[in-house]
Amino acid sequence: MSSPPLSSPEAPMSLLTVFFCLLLFVKPTTSATASPATAASSPSIAPAASPANHSLPAPTASPAPPSTSPSRPSSSSTLDPKQLIALDSLNIPTTRDPCTKQPETATCDAGSPFRHLISLRLANCSADSVALSYTALKSLSTLQSLSFFDCPISPIRFPSDLVLNLRSFSAVSSLRHLTGVWLSRLVNVTDLTISDVPVSASGPYVILGNMHNLRSVTVSNANLSGSVPKHWHTNLTHIDFSDNILKGSIPNSITLIDNLQSLNLSLNQLDGEIPTEIGNLIALKNLSLSSNSLSGAIPISMASIPGLVSVDLSSNQLNGTVPRFFTEMRNLKYLNLAKNNFHGVIPFNESFIKKLEVFKIGENSNLCYNHSTLSSKLKLGIAQCDKHGLPMSPPPSKGDSSANDNADTSDYDDSGDSGNKSSHHHGPSKFVLGVAIALSSIVFLIVFLILLSKCCK
Ligand SMILES: *[C@@H]1O[C@H](CO)[C@@H](O)[C@H](O)[C@H]1NC(C)=O
Ligand SMILES: *[C@@H]1O[C@H](CO)[C@@H](O)[C@H](O)[C@H]1NC(C)=O
Ligand SMILES: *[C@@H]1O[C@H](CO)[C@@H](O)[C@H](O)[C@H]1NC(C)=O
Ligand SMILES: *[C@@H]1O[C@H](CO)[C@@H](O)[C@H](O)[C@H]1NC(C)=O
Ligand SMILES: *[C@@H]1O[C@H](CO)[C@@H](O)[C@H](O)[C@H]1NC(C)=O
Ligand SMILES: *[C@@H]1O[C@H](CO)[C@@H](O)[C@H](O)[C@H]1NC(C)=O
Ligand SMILES: *[C@@H]1O[C@H](CO)[C@@H](O)[C@H](O)[C@H]1NC(C)=O
Ligand SMILES: *[C@@H]1O[C@H](CO)[C@@H](O)[C@H](O)[C@H]1NC(C)=O
Ligand SMILES: *[C@@H]1O[C@H](CO)[C@@H](O)[C@H](O)[C@H]1NC(C)=O
Ligand SMILES: *[C@@H]1O[C@H](CO)[C@@H](O)[C@H](O)[C@H]1NC(C)=O
Ligand SMILES: *[C@@H]1O[C@H](CO)[C@@H](O)[C@H](O)[C@H]1NC(C)=O
């Protein structure tokens, strides 16, 4: 899916230049008395704030609260000075009132005389600019939600007030290294997200054992070892332990979590069979067990999960035939059964396959498709069946693994008449369009500039 460059490398440069010139022209006319942009020198903490909001430093820099709405006394109080000092000491850039100025970074309660922080989100901080300190975190123990994104700073022991207050905790590519014991102290969290951080623990149970209110847990790409826990809180809706080194089988007890909507155990080292009673998970929408060593057949009970949207069982050693019941799942959009040991004739017709956004079934060497119901143009990556329902050998080269490589060239040559399926996400037309847009923008800007310079004289 590497998208083609939309324009030549020079185009953005000249665009930039033109914009720069434009800025020079415009600046003197607007109020250039903006206060010094403090945000520019410090690590960017409010990520999603639009550039417009960022580049316009609030004119009401310090005496904001008294001047604004006297009707709501609570919103006019400011943040507890202790918390402000704590934020400063963590080197978190704050405007005078982080409660109202940086909704992406911080939210506050409506307390009086002072407001207190309820949520704090640190993003893109560097180890040099931000250091956690126990005393600062102690002042911040009103927080219920704390998130770190791309903050490779050293973790410290959190004060117990903070730990007990937290309802939501996230660390994504942050905090360098965590332990199961450290995480297990977060007993009151409902949402836990740890991703791209190594976590040392003898198993997920060490982390989750005492989190009795947990609703959603992600511990992904965390080098987590051990086995899938046998005991679960039935209120869980989301479990993601993908991309770890979990071993053993998936316990059948996981099928007791009847609120579970999403289960992702992909990219581990799980073996054994898919729990036969997986059909008990009637709320399940997304299931990914891909890239493990699971064997056996797809359980028939899966037919009774009505709302499945996404099923990824690829890259395992599953066998048996491909069940027909997938065609009855009305919401199904994503079905990946590739790289397994399924055999027989696939029970799907063309209208079912075309309805799906993603359908993958390749690299199942004993699986074949019926040429009278499915066109070879679908490029399923499996062989056509002979009249006994066995794969014809050798598999026809046009429908097989060459699909990706050769399809490109044929699409270019046919100028889009056949090969519809893949031609819409690459091809020369987008490139031409991009260049055209870039060129016309430049022309437009130049004309605009000339007009501007004339009228300014
Ligand atoms: C972090 O900074 C990079 C560029 O430096 C930016 O692309 C990314 O969106 C930022 N991430 C967040 C979460 O702010
Ligand atoms: C820009 O700031 C205003 C006022 O602070 C806020 O209402 C608005 O949501 C902000 N827009 C974005 C995109 O952050
Ligand atoms: C958090 O958990 C502790 C221990 O489980 C419990 O005693 C306390 O009531 C909880 N705190 C809040 C604020 O819910
Ligand atoms: C991942 O875990 C293994 C042991 O389970 C350990 O030897 C290895 O150092 C860990 N890797 C990282 C990056 O933490
Ligand atoms: C599960 O959620 C329900 C409703 O939200 C709540 O009443 C119940 O106490 C929860 N059960 C557990 C074990 O947390
Ligand atoms: C499962 O996890 C993998 C790896 O983290 C991710 O790429 C994939 O999108 C997830 N699948 C679902 C259905 O959430
Ligand atoms: C299922 O996966 C899709 C696509 O990754 C996502 O948009 C959706 O929110 C997921 N649903 C649940 C319940 O996790
Ligand atoms: C499928 O795999 C299981 C376990 O590996 C094996 O016992 C069974 O015989 C296989 N079934 C078929 C039809 O190959
Ligand atoms: C394709 O299969 C579905 C489900 O089995 C069926 O409802 C539909 O009528 C079939 N369409 C064609 C064109 O055979
Ligand atoms: C292929 O489909 C045709 C028409 O539905 C049917 O007559 C034939 O038996 C099928 N062939 C195999 C091998 O299943
Ligand atoms: C090509 O794609 C269009 C829209 O995606 C679709 O309407 C048309 O039927 C397709 N043609 C072929 C030959 O698949």
Side-chain angles (χ1 to χ4, degrees):
M1 278 296 295
S2 64
S3 58
L6 280 182
S7 52
S8 62
E10 294 97 304
M13 281 308 297
S14 34
L15 265 180
L16 270 182
T17 322
V18 171
F19 269 121
F20 187 67
C21 298
L22 198 62
L23 273 182
L24 282 184
F25 271 110
V26 173
K27 205 180 174 185
T29 63
T30 58
S31 66
T33 53
S35 50
T38 47
S41 59
S42 39
S44 106
I45 287 296
S50 72
N53 273 10
H54 248 307
S55 56
L56 293 173
T60 53
S62 41
S67 64
T68 51
S69 63
S71 55
R72 284 195 311 181
S74 59
S75 68
S76 69
S77 50
T78 50
L79 185 65
D80 186 342
K82 265 196 241 160
Q83 296 202 325
L84 209 50
I85 292 169
L87 291 180
D88 279 344
S89 82
L90 296 179
N91 207 359
I92 295 168
T94 54
T95 54
R96 276 299 92 185
D97 192 354
C99 295
T100 53
K101 293 299 182 299
Q102 296 166 304
E104 290 296 327
T105 304
T107 59
C108 304
D109 64 13
S112 175
F114 294 119
R115 304 177 71 176
H116 292 96
L117 285 161
I118 332 178
S119 78
L120 186 63
R121 179 190 149 106
L122 289 93
N124 275 346
C125 33
S126 73
D128 309 329
S129 65
V130 176
L132 296 177
S133 94
Y134 187 87
T135 37
L137 288 178
K138 200 155 169 55
S139 309
L140 296 177
S141 46
T142 55
L143 285 174
Q144 293 176 13
S145 169
L146 180 57
S147 321
F148 298 91
F149 292 88
D150 291 315
C151 284
I153 52 183
S154 297
I156 60 164
R157 188 182 161 84
F158 279 10
S160 53
D161 293 350
L162 175 61
V163 147
L164 292 181
N165 241 344
L166 284 177
R167 296 291 181 276
S168 169
F169 181 78
S170 303
V172 177
S173 304
S174 299
L175 303 180
R176 294 183 183 177
H177 179 258
L178 294 171
T179 66
V181 173
W182 192 95
L183 289 167
S184 69
R185 294 180 65 220
L186 304 167
V187 291
N188 290 330
V189 290
T190 59
D191 289 77
L192 180 69
T193 302
I194 310 295
S195 185
D196 308 331
V197 188
V199 173
S200 40
S202 52
Y205 190 75
V206 174
I207 304 171
L208 311 181
N210 292 318
M211 297 179 178
H212 298 296
N213 300 318
L214 203 58
R215 295 294 173 92
S216 168
V217 57
T218 296
V219 183
S220 166
N221 189 16
N223 199 32
L224 184 62
S225 54
S227 56
V228 179
K230 290 202 168 51
H231 300 286
W232 292 97
H233 309 297
T234 54
N235 276 359
L236 274 162
T237 60
H238 176 99
I239 297 174
D240 182 346
F241 285 140
S242 61
D243 206 351
N244 285 300
I245 45 178
L246 297 178
K247 294 189 174 68
S249 60
I250 303 172
N252 208 35
S253 57
I254 208 168
T255 65
L256 299 174
I257 315 174
D258 36 23
N259 291 304
L260 198 62
Q261 293 174 21
S262 160
L263 176 62
N264 194 343
L265 300 174
S266 63
L267 292 159
N268 278 289
Q269 295 165 18
L270 301 169
D271 54 23
E273 305 201 346
I274 299 175
T276 48
E277 288 162 51
I278 192 148
N280 291 349
L281 297 174
I282 52 165
L284 200 60
K285 295 196 164 50
N286 291 348
L287 174 67
S288 179
L289 305 175
S290 71
S291 304
N292 281 289
S293 303
L294 300 171
S295 55
I298 298 178
I300 319 160
S301 76
M302 202 184 276
S304 58
I305 310 179
L308 276 173
V309 175
S310 163
V311 177
D312 188 351
L313 304 177
S314 62
S315 302
N316 279 291
Q317 282 122 48
L318 298 169
N319 65 12
T321 54
V322 171
R324 183 183 295 275
F325 58 65
F326 287 116
T327 61
E328 258 116 66
M329 296 177 176
R330 297 181 160 271
N331 299 326
L332 197 64
K333 295 211 163 57
Y334 183 107
L335 181 59
N336 191 347
L337 304 175
K339 302 187 186 175
N340 278 291
N341 297 328
F342 294 115
H343 67 88
V345 185
I346 61 167
F348 305 137
N349 62 24
E350 199 149 333
S351 56
F352 170 75
I353 291 174
K354 285 198 157 164
K355 200 192 67 176
L356 297 174
E357 282 163 19
V358 175
F359 175 71
K360 291 186 184 163
I361 197 137
E363 297 186 55
N364 282 284
S365 51
N366 295 316
L367 202 59
C368 61
Y369 69 94
N370 187 335
H371 189 52
S372 50
T373 51
L374 289 178
S375 148
S376 61
K377 280 191 191 139
L378 288 172
K379 300 193 168 92
L380 298 174
I382 54 173
Q384 190 175 319
C385 300
D386 63 14
K387 60 177 185 290
H388 309 291
L390 295 171
M392 293 203 313
S393 53
S397 59
K398 57 180 170 188
D400 203 39
S401 57
S402 59
N404 289 333
D405 306 334
N406 290 352
D408 289 6
T409 49
S410 67
D411 284 351
Y412 279 88
D413 295 344
D414 292 355
S415 60
D417 210 15
S418 62
N420 220 357
K421 252 208 133 124
S422 51
S423 67
H424 62 351
H425 59 75
H426 53 69
S429 55
K430 249 189 180 171
F431 178 76
V432 171
L433 197 66
V435 171
I437 290 177
L439 282 179
S440 47
S441 314
I442 292 170
V443 169
F444 175 79
L445 274 169
I446 290 173
V447 169
F448 183 65
L449 261 182
I450 292 171
L451 284 179
L452 197 72
S453 59
K454 280 198 175 150
C455 85
C456 283
K457 274 181 196 163

